[in-house]
Amino acid sequence: TLAGRPNVGKSSLLNTLLGEERAIVTAVAGTTRDPVTGEMTLNGVRVILTDTAGLRETGDEVERIGVERTRRAMAEADVTLLVLDGSEPLTEEDRKLLETVTGETAILVNKQDLPRRLALPETNRPVISCSARVPESLRPVKDYLLRFTAVSDRMAVTQPRHLDALRRAIAGLEAALETVRTMPPDLATTDLQAAQAALGEITGDQVDEKLLDEVFSTFCVGK
């Protein structure tokens, strides 16, 4: 989730990271009212980015609702990218956000293409200088996010029944792909359900008596 006070460049950063004009960008503070999401792929993993309404005290009822949604998005996010405007002095709103933000957070000092006027207080959080106008400057942001896409080698599939379930899931997905290439997409439903059921045998979402017998047959149960 991209968070920060209004007009620090959150929407511009979202658009540049995604490589598309996903969020509306204007010079008017408070343009973003509802969260705007977009997706990109890092290390083969889908990353969902959310642009949010600027955090500030406001008497505008609609903007206030947007701020509440921003705080909810921050609470639900795996990572918060707290955006500050590097071309302006630190504001009281910035300071309050720095003190109250929780969870995994990196501080993005945006607008590095402009003269630096921001004096950042000491922090233990990662600090990344960047500019939404310079796509190359966002490489460190993507590198930071890459830390959260790593998959442990402990996720390797070794049990024969899991391998069998994965093969059946792949077969179902390949059959579904072939169906949608040549026939109406809704005919692929059966193959997709079969693939989902096979994956469910691994995750535990799809369990029948035969599967339980197979699982417990490998256990050595004492008295």
Side-chain angles (χ1 to χ4, degrees):
T1 290
L2 291 155
R5 63 179 173 83
N7 264 22
V8 292
K10 299 183 297 298
S11 297
S12 296
L13 284 169
L14 176 78
N15 289 341
T16 305
L17 283 166
L18 297 178
E20 61 177 288
E21 296 297 315
R22 186 71 177 173
I24 297 173
V25 177
T26 75
V28 179
T31 298
T32 303
R33 299 297 182 94
D34 291 320
V36 178
T37 62
E39 298 180 4
M40 65 179 181
T41 302
L42 293 175
N43 198 29
V45 176
R46 184 182 64 156
V47 176
I48 301 173
L49 296 175
T50 303
D51 177 30
T52 60
L55 289 163
R56 66 176 177 182
E57 297 295 329
T58 176
D60 185 304
E61 180 66 15
V62 177
E63 188 176 359
R64 185 184 61 78
I65 294 173
V67 169
E68 291 175 356
R69 291 179 178 177
T70 294
R71 297 193 184 282
R72 191 180 311 131
M74 291 171 66
E76 295 172 353
D78 295 303
V79 183
T80 295
L81 301 176
L82 181 59
V83 183
L84 304 177
D85 185 343
S87 68
E88 297 182 357
L90 196 73
T91 68
E92 189 56 38
E93 289 169 335
D94 292 329
R95 195 179 303 278
K96 187 178 296 185
L97 287 171
L98 288 167
E99 292 173 351
T100 59
V101 68
T102 59
E104 193 71 48
T105 304
I107 299 168
L108 304 191
V109 181
N110 190 27
K111 306 184 183 181
Q112 71 168 19
D113 54 305
L114 301 175
R116 176 77 174 253
R117 298 180 62 198
L118 179 74
L120 193 64
E122 187 174 343
T123 177
N124 292 325
R125 301 184 185 279
V127 178
I128 304 171
S129 293
C130 59
S131 172
R133 295 182 178 180
V134 184
E136 296 79 13
S137 73
L138 298 183
R139 182 69 258 176
V141 179
K142 294 180 179 180
D143 289 341
Y144 169 75
L145 294 175
L146 273 172
R147 296 168 43 196
F148 304 94
T149 64
V151 178
S152 170
D153 57 6
R154 289 178 296 178
M155 300 289 286
V157 176
T158 56
Q159 294 191 33
R161 68 180 184 86
H162 287 175
L163 289 169
D164 176 65
L166 283 177
R167 292 190 183 102
R168 285 185 281 114
I170 291 170
L173 291 174
E174 289 176 340
L177 278 173
E178 185 60 31
T179 298
V180 298
R181 289 192 186 106
T182 58
M183 295 190 288
D186 55 338
L187 295 179
T189 302
T190 301
D191 294 322
L192 290 173
Q193 288 176 336
Q196 183 181 30
L199 292 174
E201 293 177 17
I202 300 174
T203 62
D205 296 318
Q206 185 82 15
V207 180
D208 57 25
E209 189 172 342
K210 181 180 177 182
L211 177 59
L212 290 175
D213 288 342
E214 183 179 346
V215 171
F216 285 103
S217 68
T218 64
F219 287 3
C220 178
V221 183
K223 292 183 179 180

